Amino acid sequence: MSHPSYLIAAISNSGQAPETSYRQLQNAAACPSAPYGEMFKLEVPSLMVGTLDSLMNLSDDLGKTDSVIESIVRKVEKSSIELAGKKATELTVGGVPSTRYIQQFAWDYAKFPNRRPLKELVSLISGGVAAIDEELKQLSNSYGDKQAALQDAKRKKGGNLMSVDLNDVLDEKTVRGLKIIDTEYMKTLFVGVAKSQKEAFEKDIYNTGGELVGYGGPDWSNNPSGLGQSQNFGSQVDRHGKKGSPVVPGSLEKVMEDNDSVLYTVTVLRSMYEAGYYEGEEFVPGTKLDLLEAFGKVLREKRYMVRENFTYDPSQQGKAAMALEQLQVEVDNTRSGLTRWCKTHYGEAFVAWMHIKVIRVFVESVLRYGLPVDFTAVLYKVTNGKEVQLVGALDKTFGENKSKEEDIEDEEEYHDFVLIKFDP
């Protein structure tokens, strides 16, 4: 949403009445002969001056604080627009449009006491806006997490057999017809395969993971009389002298298929025991290797989808749809809550931003014109495309060389009066 551009200007009264200074500022750039903008009085409260050093240090910090608060105002505004989409409405400040708030600005003495030291006042304002920024981050992260969970649930519900919740596509009759094993030594896995890979999967499954299992054992050919008796072979046995796949021969079953994929079951060895052995008189205990994890990794490398940890549970049928509906409700509620939050806190951040602008005008005016405090500040609502002419007219009227006009590129360029740009 586009907003008008503003310029805040302040000049020294130099002993004359503030009304005279006001008329000079109006005649310079906001009158029929110089129609470069619309001018409004700007109330600058009597703030605590402190020392010259503290004002100079504060002047440097205020520019940074101004930029930080502006960025937070923009973030809240952007979040509100993105959440509302086509239904976006203009954000307000204290129940009125931001332009009206600016043009009718009045210092909030209750919220920002003007008799507090300036440094404390700036810290109070910036601290409040920093809290808004942190809360926005937390709320946005929570909303993002819920959106991601919802998209994942939608993907699974509308997906093929490689991603859908299997409890929603299997029934008791189909499961009863399958040979499903889940023991200490073997486990049946459900594997989803793209149709384009179906032929290769069926052809190679019994050789898949062929380097995982060691089927070697003691060589009884040199001592057939000891066959079956307990003997210490230890490191003399090459368990991996003969390797193979953990897939149980003949265990592959096709469960079902859809337009894109096929679901299979296959039974594999759960683990492999590496026998212990003696080193001299000391026995080194054996270890158990997890074959399920290693075999799953091999399948995923071939782009087959192992449905790990799946156990058919008829009571879970339909729960995925209920969970999806619940997630949708949570996302909608979170969006509504965050939208309301943005509308409320945009106004708070904007109020803080405007007060920082006014403090900047006060500090720059005191540094420029000295004590006692005696200056007049106004707000120009710049006519579209007339900013250069407006600033040039002010330079001509209030500059030391009043006959010289200079092109103004930005607010950092020096002027013989206080000038601060404000693009809400």
Side-chain angles (χ1 to χ4, degrees):
M1 297 179 185
S2 59
H3 298 286
S5 178
Y6 292 91
L7 287 172
I8 302 173
I11 62 171
S12 172
N13 290 326
S14 301
Q16 65 187 8
E19 290 77 10
T20 303
S21 298
Y22 179 79
R23 283 195 299 271
Q24 289 176 340
L25 286 160
Q26 189 168 38
N27 292 333
C31 66
S33 60
Y36 307 128
E38 186 179 358
M39 196 181 82
F40 304 88
K41 286 184 178 180
L42 180 65
E43 177 199 346
V44 179
S46 176
L47 302 173
M48 293 187 68
V49 175
T51 65
L52 181 62
D53 285 345
S54 65
L55 279 184
M56 293 181 69
N57 292 333
L58 189 60
S59 176
D60 293 336
D61 293 338
L62 276 171
K64 299 173 185 175
T65 302
D66 189 340
S67 297
V68 170
I69 293 179
E70 178 182 0
S71 70
I72 295 170
V73 171
R74 305 285 189 216
K75 271 195 271 186
V76 177
E77 182 180 34
K78 181 182 177 184
S79 296
S80 178
I81 292 171
E82 289 176 348
L83 288 166
K86 294 180 180 180
K87 298 179 181 179
T89 57
E90 184 178 3
L91 294 171
T92 60
V93 182
V96 300
S98 58
T99 52
R100 187 189 302 178
Y101 171 77
I102 295 168
Q103 292 161 194
Q104 298 176 353
F105 173 76
W107 186 272
D108 189 339
Y109 290 91
K111 194 170 185 180
F112 307 117
N114 63 309
R115 301 319 295 167
R116 293 185 67 167
L118 275 176
K119 189 173 182 180
E120 288 185 18
L121 192 56
V122 172
S123 295
L124 173 68
I125 296 172
S126 60
V129 180
I132 290 174
D133 186 37
E134 183 59 33
E135 191 172 355
L136 177 61
K137 288 178 185 175
Q138 293 175 4
L139 291 172
S140 297
N141 287 339
S142 175
Y143 176 61
D145 291 343
K146 283 183 169 59
Q147 274 192 311
L150 177 63
Q151 294 305 316
D152 186 53
K154 285 181 176 179
R155 180 184 61 81
K156 288 180 178 178
K157 185 175 185 300
N160 55 32
L161 295 171
M162 299 174 72
S163 60
V164 73
D165 187 336
L166 295 182
N167 279 311
D168 286 339
V169 295
L170 295 174
D171 54 38
E172 292 189 62
K173 181 180 179 182
T174 302
V175 174
R176 278 199 303 269
L178 300 173
K179 188 173 183 181
I180 298 177
I181 299 173
D182 190 0
T183 68
E184 181 182 354
Y185 303 105
M186 293 186 291
K187 181 175 177 63
T188 299
L189 302 176
F190 285 81
V191 183
V193 179
K195 273 199 170 178
S196 60
Q197 296 178 292
K198 175 183 176 182
E199 186 176 338
F201 176 79
E202 293 179 351
K203 179 182 178 181
D204 298 334
I205 185 61
Y206 294 112
N207 296 317
T208 301
E211 297 294 315
L212 296 178
V213 187
Y215 289 107
D219 184 1
W220 301 102
S221 60
N222 295 327
N223 184 21
S225 61
L227 181 65
Q229 298 181 16
S230 177
Q231 297 188 36
N232 294 332
F233 288 90
S235 58
Q236 299 174 24
V237 175
D238 183 6
R239 186 67 185 269
H240 292 278
K242 183 178 180 181
K243 295 183 178 181
S245 169
V247 178
V248 175
S251 65
L252 180 67
E253 287 187 87
K254 177 183 170 183
V255 182
M256 61 175 56
E257 65 180 279
D258 59 18
N259 293 332
D260 304 314
S261 55
V262 185
L263 182 66
Y264 295 93
T265 58
V266 62
T267 302
V268 298
L269 299 176
R270 272 186 176 273
S271 59
M272 178 180 69
Y273 182 71
E274 293 277 9
Y277 57 91
Y278 280 92
E279 286 188 354
E281 297 295 321
E282 184 179 356
F283 179 72
V284 179
T287 57
K288 184 179 283 188
L289 303 180
D290 186 350
L291 293 175
L292 288 180
E293 183 178 346
F295 183 68
K297 182 180 179 182
V298 171
L299 290 180
R300 285 190 293 274
E301 288 174 352
K302 293 178 177 289
R303 298 191 175 181
Y304 304 141
M305 183 57 67
V306 185
R307 309 308 302 274
E308 295 173 304
N309 302 319
F310 170 72
T311 302
Y312 177 69
D313 183 355
S315 67
Q316 296 298 313
Q317 200 163 51
K319 284 194 175 182
M322 292 174 61
L324 176 62
E325 186 177 339
Q326 179 61 32
L327 275 172
Q328 184 67 64
V329 170
E330 289 181 12
V331 167
D332 292 342
N333 289 341
T334 304
R335 182 192 293 113
S336 298
L338 186 51
T339 300
R340 289 192 300 271
W341 184 94
C342 286
K343 288 181 178 179
T344 300
H345 290 79
Y346 172 81
E348 290 186 22
F350 198 97
V351 166
W353 189 20
M354 186 66 191
H355 280 72
I356 286 294
K357 290 288 186 185
V358 173
I359 292 175
R360 285 188 68 188
V361 172
F362 179 84
V363 170
E364 296 301 325
S365 297
V366 172
L367 289 174
R368 179 71 63 91
Y369 308 127
L371 295 173
V373 177
D374 186 26
F375 65 88
T376 296
V378 297
L379 181 80
Y380 290 105
K381 179 182 177 182
V382 182
T383 301
N384 191 30
K386 298 292 185 180
E387 182 179 331
V388 172
Q389 291 93 322
L390 192 155
V391 177
L394 292 177
D395 274 325
K396 183 177 180 180
T397 303
F398 302 109
E400 290 183 3
N401 185 356
K402 296 183 181 180
S403 64
K404 180 182 177 182
E405 292 190 36
E406 297 178 354
D407 290 334
I408 306 302
E409 293 182 359
D410 56 55
E411 63 179 313
E412 298 300 326
E413 189 164 337
Y414 180 80
H415 304 280
D416 292 312
F417 48 90
V418 173
L419 186 68
I420 296 175
K421 192 171 182 178
F422 188 19
D423 287 320

